[in-house]
Amino acid sequence: MGRAAAAGGGAGGARRWLSWLGLCFWTAGAAAARGTDNGEVLPESIPSAPGTLPHFIEEPDDAYIIKSNPIALRCKARPAMQIFFKCNGEWVHQNEHVSEESLDESSGLKVREVFINVTRQQVEDFHGPEDYWCQCVAWSHLGTSKSRKASVRIAYLRKNFEQDPQGREVPLEGMIVLHCRPPEGVPAAEVEWLKNEEPIDSEQDENIDTRADHNLIIRQARLSDSGNYTCMAANIVAKRRSLSATVVVYVNGGWSSWTEWSACNVRCGRGWQKRSRTCTNPAPLNGGAFCEGMSVQKITCTSLCPVDGSWEVWSEWSVCSPECEHLRIRECTAPPPRNGGKFCEGLSQESENCTDGLCILDKKPLHEIKPQSIENASDIALYSGLGAAVVAVAVLVIGVTLYRRSQSDYGVDVIDSSALTGGFQTFNFKTVRQGNSLLLNPSMQPDLTVSRTYSGPICLQDPLDKELMTESSLFNPLSDIKVKVQSSFVVSLGVSERAEYHGKNHSGTFPHGNNHSFTTVHPRNKTPYIQNLSSLPTRTELRTTGVFGHLGGRLVMPNTGVSLLIPHGAIPEENSWEIYMSINQGDLQSDGSEVLLSPEVTCGPPDMIVTTPFALTIPHCADVSSEHWNIHLKKRTQQGKWEEVMSVEDESTSCYCLLDPFACHVLLDSFGTYALTGEPITDCAVKQLKVAVFGCMSCNSLDYNLRVYCVDNTPCAFQEVVSDERHQGGQLLEEPKLLHFKGNTFSLQISVLDIPPFLWRIKPFTACQEVPFSRVWCSNRQPLHCAFSLERYTPTTTQLSCKICIRQLKGHEQILQVQTSILESERETITFFAQEDSTYPAQTGPKAFKIPYSIRQRICATFDTPNAKGKDWQMLAQKNSINRNLSYFATQSSPSAVILNLWEARHQHDGDLDSLACALEEIGRTHTKLSNMTESQLEEADFNYSRQNGL
């Protein structure tokens, strides 16, 4: 009974406890429903019971309301019989709670999770000393636990920055500080810096610091730090961009050292000396100040005039000497030569007989002195021996002459039987009497009148060789020829540097023939072989003309790479000139190791005056590298001498040279004759040669001639070869290729390979020919070529395939694959030149320029105008790869116009307006894309301009 009562009493106590707890919950709910107007609060504790206090597994976090979206706060506690939120000190209504209950499997305790939503309106309606906050309260058997307070704020970000970064112009290695105060916002905005729209990572660049109060600090400014900087602020609501700040790192110009004083400009009297310096140490950049002061200094000088010596009057005759002579003298002292003057001409001493032939010897007159008789018998023997020797020599000469005539039955005499053992030997060509019309005729005795000896290359190039091998000599009947041959399998050109020529050049004494080859025959009916000796006709002058006025234009030499650009306004209004341009035969004599790298170009008239520099484009054959070449621009004076205008790498305000890989663009103020020369600095200096092979049938229907050319890689040099080949009936057999010929003194070797053995054969000893280095390195005087003669076995063979190998010893090699038909009807034609510049050699007015005149005016007006950064034409030059000698443009009235003229000269074929538009956009001074303009718009702009100028 007692146990039952106790049990019953325990059960009744539990029921009472639960009833009381439920009452408490109902009271709390009612109070919350009434909005806690009566000030009642839930009990902070409940009667003690076995268990633990609630432990929060998850507490509410601080939250931000974005726009009008409510946020959810949540709590999770264990063990928890109930959880309620209290916001700003007041209980949240039970209906606003969303509760979930679960059981922790590991501990067996109840886990309760509660959610509430907080709206933007609730936060805005709250007015208190602190932010809107909420807190969780959880109950268990032992009591209550409270979570942390979570604040709820409305997120925002103002539009305007409190401080935008400001642009800066700083010198090189100066400090740059850009300030940025982001807009007010909740939560506070994070700041990021952009340079040219790219994020800046200060951790990768130790020179940049972005941690100091949102400011950007560049400790030491570099040229690469120039650009547009933007401050970017962002939080969970929005992003804001500041105004861009342009940072320009400029370089002030500095003078280089003075050059040495030049020699006095006059040889006699008062003149001047000068020295110069350039603003290149460093050159001004990005608006930096140009050097102050003079770039040229002049001082007066006085050169002592040379005084030529003059004779004094003769002295009196001296006393008659025992030899019956007396003397008189004079001195070169009236005046003596001074300052390099000439010494007196003539004798300083004279002597003559002083007795008029009556000189006394041993006290006797001369006519009384008798000659001594020959008393010594040995004298008689001496004179007899001399007479016998003279007779013996005469007999020997007659015998040798008779022997040589007895051997003349053979057309060719082999002097050395070991000639085929190899090595370079000498060819002696001896012409015979003109009356002999056959090559070999044993019945007629030769009359050796002229002898010419050649020790050198078979590929002829010298003027003497050219004279001997003119066009007329190749197509006239062969006269008798006597050849002395010492041959080798490889006819080498590398031993002798120049051909030796002996004898006089009599017209008609050298053998003529109807083939481009000369036949040399071994005696005793040995097999003949053909050694090709070819030459080109004399060069013809290339010339073009055009009439130009104030609108300017372009003059082009078709297929030569030579052009002349006359800018708009270079010729005064109401004036017009007939301007000519020509390519001359080379007469520039190289000094020392200098090599002519371009054609000699003449433009005129020489007395024409231009107000704006014109652009002359000259092709060259150098593999451009400042490490290996020192390239000069030279001009021919009125006296016919060549003088240096400037080195391409020098700084000058008189002219400007821009060296591209295949052409040089020169800005000049005066017309004349110009050429490019190069001085190799190292053995790695390279000339670019164009190699090509031409072929044609010979007079013999079974023979076929191959001619291999190695010419400077300039269009005009190859055009000359093409013109000559057309005249001779030659056909280009393979696309020309480029050969890099080094200045390492090694020779060039040309050989024919892979000839079909049963269809074709090459004449003996001609399969390989070698050209010495000097002939190739200085080959601009005349195109260098070697000839090979092939013979068909049968007339039915119409196809020819072989390889031509052209290589420099220890250098570059090229293979020309010949695959052709020798029949004219079946031969495939290979185009020599593109015809893009031969249709309109002279263009005048707006059509001659790629940039429309209206756009050109806007560009010049924009970039010539000074601003806070200096003159933006320097940035225009930099974007167009013009990075040196900017002082030349600084002296022009419109630097931008001159830069655009140079751009026109460089892009006369492609007219790449896209690249120019991109350069302008990068500078940021214009947003107009030239490339997006339609063709009709360009034509309309040109039409409007032409109409304004009366065209």
Side-chain angles (χ1 to χ4, degrees), residues 253-259 276-283 291 294-295 651:
W255 289 113
S256 64
S257 300
W258 287 102
T259 61
S276 61
R277 58 180 179 175
T278 57
C279 188
T280 57
N281 188 31
C291 302
M294 301 296 294
S295 62
E651 300 285 334

Side-chain angles (χ1 to χ4, degrees), residues 27 39 46 51 114 173 188 253 310 343 381-382 412 418 458 556 657 667 694 706 744 796 852 871 900:
T27 304
I46 58 177
V114 176
E173 297 185 356
S310 181
F343 197 80
L382 175 63
V412 178
S418 63
I458 297 307
V556 178
C657 287
L667 296 176
F694 290 79
L706 295 178
N744 56 9
T796 58
K871 293 188 176 181
L900 294 180

Side-chain angles (χ1 to χ4, degrees), residues 148-206:
R148 65 177 293 275
K149 290 183 179 181
S151 63
V152 179
R153 305 175 68 185
I154 298 176
Y156 67 92
L157 185 63
R158 304 291 185 194
K159 290 185 177 181
N160 298 326
F161 278 72
E162 296 184 5
Q163 183 179 1
D164 288 304
Q166 301 297 318
R168 293 284 187 273
E169 293 182 9
V170 295
L172 189 67
E173 297 185 356
M175 177 178 285
I176 303 174
V177 179
L178 298 180
H179 298 280
C180 176
R181 293 178 59 187
E184 178 187 354
V186 174
E190 296 182 356
V191 172
E192 179 185 22
W193 283 92
L194 304 179
K195 176 189 174 184
N196 297 331
E197 305 303 325
E198 295 292 333
I200 298 176
D201 189 354
S202 59
E203 295 181 356
Q204 296 183 359
D205 192 345
E206 297 179 353

Side-chain angles (χ1 to χ4, degrees), residues 23-56:
L23 178 62
C24 291
F25 287 156
W26 177 85
T27 304
R34 292 194 301 269
T36 64
D37 294 337
N38 54 6
E40 296 180 359
V41 295
L42 293 176
E44 297 294 334
S45 63
I46 58 177
S48 62
T52 61
L53 287 175
H55 171 69
F56 283 97

Side-chain angles (χ1 to χ4, degrees), residues 76 153 157 306 341 411 437 444 452 501 598 768 785 849:
K76 183 187 289 186
R153 305 175 68 185
L157 185 63
S437 61
M444 300 186 67
R452 295 184 178 90
Y501 173 71
S598 75
C768 181
H785 79 290
F849 303 98

Side-chain angles (χ1 to χ4, degrees), residues 25 43-46 52-56 75-85 91 112 114 135-147:
F25 287 156
E44 297 294 334
S45 63
I46 58 177
T52 61
L53 287 175
H55 171 69
F56 283 97
C75 286
K76 183 187 289 186
R78 178 186 64 202
M81 299 180 65
Q82 192 60 271
I83 299 176
F84 283 97
F85 271 94
W91 294 102
R112 183 173 293 275
V114 176
Q135 185 182 36
C136 287
V137 181
W139 281 268
S140 70
H141 293 290
L142 291 184
T144 63
S145 295
K146 295 182 180 180
S147 70

